[in-house]
Amino acid sequence: SVMKVSGSNGCNRIMGDFTNEGASLSFPMLATTRMACPGDVAGRVDRVLNEVSEYDLREDILSMISDDQLLATWLRDKND
């Protein structure tokens, strides 16, 4: 199913669609603002979102995976 996503890559706003079928996950057409960002955090997040093909969600931990390789892990903010 296709759903909407919006958030931040650590510097720029991101928005667009994502698809989720079972453990399959993809972000086919994300748009981002283009502010100058220090470091490479925004670029690394963008690469993960472009490469991810599946995910694993356990408790408050989201893991993004591609070709059986762990790309990134995020922890849920306990304040949410």
Side-chain angles (χ1 to χ4, degrees), residues 55-68:
Y55 74 98
D56 183 55
L57 180 61
R58 296 177 195 213
E59 304 272 330
D60 293 334
I61 301 170
L62 172 64
S63 300
M64 294 200 170
I65 303 159
S66 179
D67 296 327
D68 294 324

Side-chain angles (χ1 to χ4, degrees), residues 13-70:
R13 301 284 307 150
I14 59 173
M15 70 282 309
D17 295 335
F18 73 97
T19 59
N20 172 236
E21 298 288 333
S24 188
L25 180 67
S26 67
F27 299 86
M29 296 291 291
L30 288 179
T32 65
T33 57
R34 297 287 179 188
M35 296 177 10
C37 303
D40 192 34
V41 172
R44 289 186 297 190
V45 170
D46 291 345
R47 281 190 293 281
V48 167
L49 295 176
N50 284 324
E51 294 176 18
V52 65
S53 60
E54 58 188 285
Y55 74 98
D56 183 55
L57 180 61
R58 296 177 195 213
E59 304 272 330
D60 293 334
I61 301 170
L62 172 64
S63 300
M64 294 200 170
I65 303 159
S66 179
D67 296 327
D68 294 324
Q69 298 270 355
L70 179 63

